[in-house]
């Protein structure tokens, strides 16, 4: 069965007209239930994880400053959310969603987190709506429990996974692959193990051709025993914070190729949703829902 991490805290209250589309975290599970892609049994509710899994990735001083709301105003501005106890609790629960999804992925081949993909969180600070790097935390959890040795992170959000690249910059056991808009935030990129920067208005054909040339080769060369997939839908042409020009169908084909490749390779995959900032919330929800529909079709 497809297991999906979801908690009501994922939809956090923000000031009116805030540009982050928090509503998608409430609408996406409702859509999946409404259309019959999922039932209530598919969803599980994550909790607060043990701090040790977080400080295995993040500097303890940074993490405990977050917990105690002692982050400087300058650093808080980089994060982009008003910092509250509820927000930090939300971040910790999202991280646990990814941790628990890792275990379900090993059991079932795949598991999802309705939120997550917080790839701009560094070891010692947060940026761009990201405070705790959920997939990095999941990777360290797997290694600590000897559930995986070599890990591949496939980051297909429109923004480079700069925090993830920094966290694993000197670690050969985790290979970081980011395919992103060259002109997008972050404007000062980190160095992933493999970066593919894409020109403005890159279309379906060019994007998919590059991905299909790259991912099977990476799996063959790196031989991972676990894959994290960050399935950002901000690659769509309508996205307010993106520079690429993919269609919703192109985004769906991307997800199909990644999941089919993981399934064919018999490598467990954990999926976090990442970004999506199209003006119409229905566009964001539809693009994310495609990822779940494909997971059901390919794996179950």
């Amino acid at each position: 069965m497809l297991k999906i991490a979801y908690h009501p805290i994922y939809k956090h209250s923000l000031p009116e007209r805030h540009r982050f589309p928090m509503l998608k975290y409430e609408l996406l599970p409702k859509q999946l239930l409404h259309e019959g892609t999922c039932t209530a049994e598919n969803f599980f509710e994550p909790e607060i994880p043990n701090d040790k899994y977080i400080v295995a990735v993040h500097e303890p001083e940074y993490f405990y400053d977050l917990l105690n709301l002692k982050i400087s105003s300058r650093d808080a501005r980089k994060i982009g959310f008003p910092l509250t106890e509820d927000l930090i609790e939300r971040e910790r629960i999202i991280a646990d969603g990814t941790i628990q999804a890792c275990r379900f992925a090993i059991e079932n081949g795949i598991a999802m987190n309705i939120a997550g993909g917080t790839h701009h969180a560094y070891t010692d600070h947060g940026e761009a709506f990201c405070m705790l790097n959920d997939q990095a935390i999941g990777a360290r959890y797997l290694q600590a429990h000897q559930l995986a040795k070599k890990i591949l992170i496939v980051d297909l959000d429109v923004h480079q996974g700069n925090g993830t690249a920094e966290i694993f910059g000197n670690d050969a056991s985790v290979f970081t692959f980011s395919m992103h808009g060259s002109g997008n935030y972050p404007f000062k990129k980190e160095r992933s193990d493999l970066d593919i920067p894409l020109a403005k208005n890159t279309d379906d054909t060019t994007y998919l051709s590059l991905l299909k040339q790259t991912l099977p080769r990476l799996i063959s060369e790196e031989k991972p025993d676990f894959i994290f997939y960050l399935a950002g839908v901000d690659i769509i042409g309508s996205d307010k914070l993106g520079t690429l020009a993919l269609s919703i169908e192109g985004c769906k084909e991307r997800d199909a190729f990644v999941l089919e490749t993981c399934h064919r390779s018999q490598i467990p995959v954990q999926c976090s949703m990442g970004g999506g900032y199209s003006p119409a919330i229905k566009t964001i929800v539809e693009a994310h829902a495609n990822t779940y529909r494909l997971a059901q079709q390919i794996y179950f």
Side-chain angles (χ1 to χ4, degrees):
M1 174 182 284
L2 179 64
K3 300 301 289 184
I4 303 166
Y6 172 71
H7 192 291
I9 204 171
Y10 283 9
K11 182 182 175 288
H12 178 74
S13 295
L14 290 173
E16 194 174 347
R17 296 179 184 170
H18 195 285
R19 64 179 178 170
F20 191 87
M22 200 66 77
L23 183 60
K24 72 176 185 177
Y25 298 118
E26 179 180 53
L27 295 181
L28 178 56
K30 285 183 177 179
Q31 175 61 31
L32 295 173
L33 289 167
H34 171 74
E35 68 188 30
T37 295
C38 299
T39 68
E41 285 184 282
N42 290 108
F43 294 92
F44 69 93
E45 196 164 285
E47 301 175 344
I48 299 284
N50 191 309
D51 288 354
K52 69 181 181 180
Y53 299 126
I54 295 173
V55 298
V57 169
H58 295 286
E59 292 289 346
E61 182 179 3
Y62 165 62
F63 175 55
Y64 292 115
D65 279 351
L66 264 184
L67 281 185
N68 296 309
L69 302 180
K70 290 184 176 179
I71 299 295
S72 72
S73 57
R74 178 177 177 272
D75 288 344
R77 282 195 298 274
K78 284 185 178 179
I79 290 169
F81 289 141
L83 295 185
T84 64
E85 288 183 7
D86 284 350
L87 180 70
I88 306 310
E89 182 180 359
R90 172 185 184 269
E91 294 300 300
R92 296 164 78 194
I93 288 173
I94 287 171
D96 187 62
T98 294
I99 288 171
Q100 299 306 323
C102 287
R103 299 196 74 100
F104 282 121
I106 289 170
E107 289 177 20
N108 302 321
I110 190 170
M112 326 280 277
N113 194 344
I114 287 282
T118 43
H119 59 164
H120 300 310
Y122 283 65
T123 51
D124 61 356
H125 70 275
E127 293 182 4
F129 312 138
C130 301
M131 284 153 277
L132 301 175
N133 195 310
D134 67 299
Q135 292 190 320
I137 292 166
R140 287 289 182 241
Y141 174 89
L142 287 170
Q143 291 178 329
H145 289 268
Q146 299 182 323
L147 296 171
K149 292 181 179 179
K150 184 61 181 282
I151 291 167
L152 171 62
I153 297 181
V154 178
D155 187 335
L156 300 186
D157 195 270
V158 80
H159 306 102
Q160 191 215 29
N162 55 342
T164 309
E166 180 266 341
I167 289 167
F168 297 116
N170 297 306
D171 185 349
S173 72
V174 179
F175 190 100
T176 54
F177 164 42
S178 180
M179 188 160 145
H180 51 264
S182 61
N184 264 111
Y185 175 91
F187 300 108
K188 180 184 177 297
K189 307 288 195 289
E190 299 292 341
R191 180 177 292 178
S192 309
D193 291 303
L194 176 63
D195 286 299
I196 299 182
L198 301 169
K200 188 175 181 180
N201 294 323
T202 294
D203 62 9
D204 293 357
T205 302
T206 303
Y207 185 101
L208 293 166
S209 175
L210 280 167
L211 179 62
K212 290 175 182 180
Q213 291 169 30
T214 303
L215 184 58
R217 174 178 59 82
L218 277 184
I219 290 173
S220 175
E221 291 174 357
E222 297 302 321
K223 298 178 172 56
D225 45 20
F226 197 95
I227 292 174
F228 288 90
Y229 176 34
L230 203 171
V233 301
D234 42 13
I235 61 170
I236 293 170
S238 61
D239 199 90
K240 293 183 292 186
L241 301 184
T243 57
L244 305 183
L246 275 79
S247 66
I248 288 184
E249 276 304 310
C251 187
K252 182 179 180 181
E253 189 174 341
R254 174 204 69 175
D255 289 345
F257 178 74
V258 172
L259 298 185
E260 286 167 355
T261 301
C262 293
H263 184 250
R264 187 168 55 250
S265 303
Q266 297 185 307
I267 302 170
V269 58
Q270 185 278 327
C271 305
S272 291
M273 290 301 98
Y277 310 94
S278 291
I281 193 73
K282 66 180 182 181
T283 302
I284 302 171
V285 172
E286 176 66 12
H288 280 314
N290 278 333
T291 315
Y292 293 83
R293 295 165 185 149
L294 288 162
Q296 289 281 32
Q297 291 167 20
I298 293 166
Y299 282 85
F300 300 100

